[in-house]
Amino acid sequence: EEEAAGATEMDFLRNLFSSTLGLGSPDKVLDELTLEGVAQYIKSGKCKNILCMVGAGISTSAGIPDFRSPGTGLYANLQKYNLPYPEAIFQIDYFKKHPEPFFALARELYPGQFKPTVCHYFIKLLKDKGLLRRCYSQNIDTLERVAGLEGDDLIEAHGTFYTSHCVSFCCRAEYNLDWMKEKIFSDDIPKCDKCNSLVKPDIVFFGENLPVRFFTSMKMDFPRCDLLIVMGTSLQVQPFAGLVGRVSKSCPRLLINMEKAGQADPLLGLLGFGGGMDFDSDKAYRDVAHISTCDDGCLALADLLGWKAELEELVKQEHARIDSEGKKEKSSESKGAAAKASSASAAPETKKEE
């Protein structure tokens, strides 16, 4: 983290001198600052290392609320948990004293209850076509994994439900997704089998550090990026939001979101610092804002690339597969429950015969 902070300071000085001395005026990268311009750039063959940065907005069409939308966002609907303030549900100190609200919420939002969206499968399509370098996600819903991204394709910047650990520094025992799922849906507060301390999914709470891999990977990935696609995030949470400024000045940046986000602070922009998005000024040359839902934006881009039918077929096939697996799992659970009930009812009869 200290190295990352040092690199940011160097970026500040470099940009300050460039701006002050009028050096390094960037060339226009896209033929036009539109979705069409981005599609033409991808089709030109100049794109080999696409990075995606995604937030909660890519999962809302799956039925998972985002955090900050007025009225419908997660933070606007936490009154039933009697929190001192909405963000407390993700505060590590509050969690250690009052874990019940978090696990009640986890039961509502638990991975495995939702299917990946068109946007998730568009990212998978980028991978299949050899264009995706990596996807950096703020999400904890694991839908990128369900859609077919693997560990090396993915940086889960804010952690994941995929694994869990005991919170005790002396223990740190690891537990898998199935273990945590069983605890959460049995209304038990997950406690460590070894030391009886709390067990927490490996998601990053406020007050915790981001995964080390986030910092090591960003140093390799962002300088090599030749197209940055940002989707479904307000770009308000650091250090994730600052990643948009870590690509080279020649790298185009596409935002697909319900509103513009990540724009440079006017004062810092005068200093050439911050790397924020510039969609509208006379100096805009590489940033494109496509204002729509993430699914609609991905479908529109896929259409321009000639991939729309392929994307729609991928979504159809994968959703059918997930539905089929879900039915099998429910059938298996029903048979297991019936067997238990049968066993329980048979026991008294045996006793009676004796």
Side-chain angles (χ1 to χ4, degrees), residues 255-294:
L255 174 73
I256 299 176
N257 204 37
M258 292 297 287
E259 59 186 12
K260 291 177 182 176
Q263 289 160 286
D265 180 277
L267 178 59
L268 292 178
L270 289 173
L271 296 173
F273 175 60
M277 303 280 210
D278 179 6
F279 304 114
D280 304 310
S281 84
D282 294 338
K283 294 180 180 179
Y285 70 99
R286 59 163 172 167
D287 294 331
V288 176
H290 184 79
I291 305 303
S292 74
T293 66
C294 294

Side-chain angles (χ1 to χ4, degrees), residues 29-30 38 41 47 225-229 247-254 285-288:
V29 186
L30 302 174
V38 174
Y41 176 68
C47 252
C225 176
D226 47 30
L227 174 62
L228 180 65
I229 302 178
V247 295
S248 72
K249 285 191 173 183
S250 61
C251 177
R253 301 181 294 190
L254 168 65
Y285 70 99
R286 59 163 172 167
D287 294 331
V288 176

Side-chain angles (χ1 to χ4, degrees), residues 8 14-15 18 28 39 48 62 85-86 88 93 116 124 140 148 150 173-174 179 188 192 220 224 229 250 255 258 345:
T8 302
R14 194 178 298 114
N15 289 330
S18 294
K28 195 171 182 181
K48 301 292 181 188
Y85 48 93
D93 292 337
K124 174 62 163 58
I140 58 174
E150 297 171 0
E174 182 173 313
W179 184 92
D188 290 338
C192 180
M220 296 185 296
R224 295 176 175 85
I229 302 178
S250 61
L255 174 73
M258 292 297 287
S345 61

Side-chain angles (χ1 to χ4, degrees), residues 3-17 273:
E3 287 180 20
T8 302
E9 289 171 10
M10 286 303 297
D11 287 342
F12 171 81
L13 294 172
R14 194 178 298 114
N15 289 330
L16 176 60
F17 284 121
F273 175 60

Side-chain angles (χ1 to χ4, degrees), residues 131-177:
L131 298 174
L132 181 72
R133 182 175 181 88
R134 207 121 35 215
C135 175
Y136 283 69
S137 177
Q138 291 176 288
N139 299 336
I140 58 174
D141 53 37
T142 74
L143 288 182
E144 296 91 356
R145 290 178 183 265
V146 179
L149 295 190
E150 297 171 0
D152 194 50
D153 305 317
L154 193 57
I155 300 294
E156 291 158 319
H158 293 170
T160 177
F161 267 97
Y162 204 65
T163 54
S164 301
H165 281 86
C166 172
V167 299
S168 169
F169 288 110
C170 302
C171 180
R172 300 298 293 161
E174 182 173 313
Y175 296 90
N176 63 24
L177 190 66

Side-chain angles (χ1 to χ4, degrees), residues 299-318:
L299 278 170
L301 182 54
D303 193 23
L304 291 167
L305 291 167
W307 303 351
K308 187 177 180 184
E310 187 179 355
L311 176 58
E312 290 176 330
E313 183 60 26
L314 177 63
V315 174
K316 183 180 175 183
Q317 286 181 356
E318 286 297 299

Side-chain angles (χ1 to χ4, degrees), residues 213-243:
R213 189 164 167 259
F214 170 84
F215 295 100
T216 55
S217 295
M218 76 177 185
K219 291 178 192 175
M220 296 185 296
D221 290 341
F222 280 80
R224 295 176 175 85
C225 176
D226 47 30
L227 174 62
L228 180 65
I229 302 178
V230 183
M231 297 184 281
T233 171
S234 61
L235 291 175
Q236 290 184 18
V237 178
Q238 296 291 354
F240 188 89
L243 293 178

